Amino acid sequence: MKNNTIKKAYTEWLSADEMHSESKKWSSELKFAKDEQKFLNTMIQDYTLDLIDVKIFDEVKRVVDSLSQAEKNLIEIFKKVQLHENQILIMVDEVDQIKMENAYLETHAELKKEIQDYFVDYRASKTKIFKIISNVMKKKKQKRLLS
């Protein structure tokens, strides 16, 4: 005999204002990350010759590929956040649309998780590229001092 149990997940209840504020915060953080990625791309271009050193090439390639993927993911996530922000009316229109309101809440929770995951991966890649470029800069400076 099968035991049919229904698992219900705890969903934090947020007001429409709280969700709107959170969505605006996400949008702001994603815009900043987009600008930051432009900076990282410029920095990588500036140090390309040093980064293609045989000793670190494989690691650099993995990190640069990871950053490129993060840039693509950011565009998709940003579009989702904008759409989500535009749909907040569902929560404040004073019309009871239980299914649509629940779908909005689910989408909000999913976006929250997706954005958290995105930033964990993005920050890890960013930290790695800064460490690599910092080491390259130090080696370059040592070579100049020794010359």
Side-chain angles (χ1 to χ4, degrees):
M1 181 179 224
K2 284 188 177 178
N3 184 2
N4 292 334
T5 57
I6 299 173
K7 293 183 180 179
K8 291 190 178 186
Y10 169 74
T11 304
E12 181 181 3
W13 177 259
L14 298 172
S15 72
D17 286 337
E18 290 171 321
M19 286 187 286
H20 181 64
S21 293
E22 195 166 35
S23 296
K24 285 174 64 174
K25 179 182 169 208
W26 295 338
S27 189
S28 177
E29 289 172 344
L30 291 169
K31 285 177 186 175
F32 182 80
K34 185 177 180 182
D35 289 341
E36 199 172 41
Q37 285 180 338
K38 287 179 186 176
F39 170 76
L40 291 173
N41 290 338
T42 301
M43 193 168 57
I44 290 167
Q45 288 173 352
D46 289 348
Y47 287 95
T48 298
L49 292 176
D50 301 310
L51 293 173
I52 58 175
D53 184 349
V54 176
K55 297 172 191 167
I56 60 172
F57 180 76
D58 290 336
E59 182 182 1
V60 170
K61 183 169 177 9
R62 280 193 304 276
V63 175
V64 169
D65 288 346
S66 175
L67 286 169
S68 295
Q69 187 60 48
E71 199 166 0
K72 291 174 189 169
N73 292 346
L74 181 135
I75 293 167
E76 292 302 314
I77 293 171
F78 189 72
K79 287 178 185 176
K80 289 178 185 179
V81 169
Q82 284 181 316
L83 180 63
H84 187 67
E85 284 180 347
N86 293 338
Q87 294 174 341
I88 190 75
L89 184 61
I90 291 168
M91 300 303 288
V92 295
D93 63 3
E94 296 183 13
V95 176
D96 284 337
Q97 301 169 324
I98 304 301
K99 286 184 182 179
M100 291 178 75
E101 290 174 6
N102 286 338
Y104 187 86
L105 290 169
E106 285 178 29
T107 301
H108 191 84
E110 289 168 4
L111 268 174
K112 185 175 191 170
K113 175 76 171 119
E114 188 174 354
I115 289 168
Q116 287 171 341
D117 292 346
Y118 168 80
F119 276 109
V120 166
D121 294 341
Y122 172 65
R123 287 183 183 119
S125 297
K126 184 175 70 169
T127 300
K128 287 177 188 173
I129 198 67
F130 276 132
K131 198 175 283 187
I132 291 168
I133 290 178
S134 176
N135 288 336
V136 165
M137 291 170 79
K138 286 176 187 174
K139 286 179 186 176
K140 221 175 172 178
K141 187 176 182 180
Q142 286 173 347
K143 285 180 183 177
R144 269 191 277 136
L145 290 174
L146 294 174
S147 298

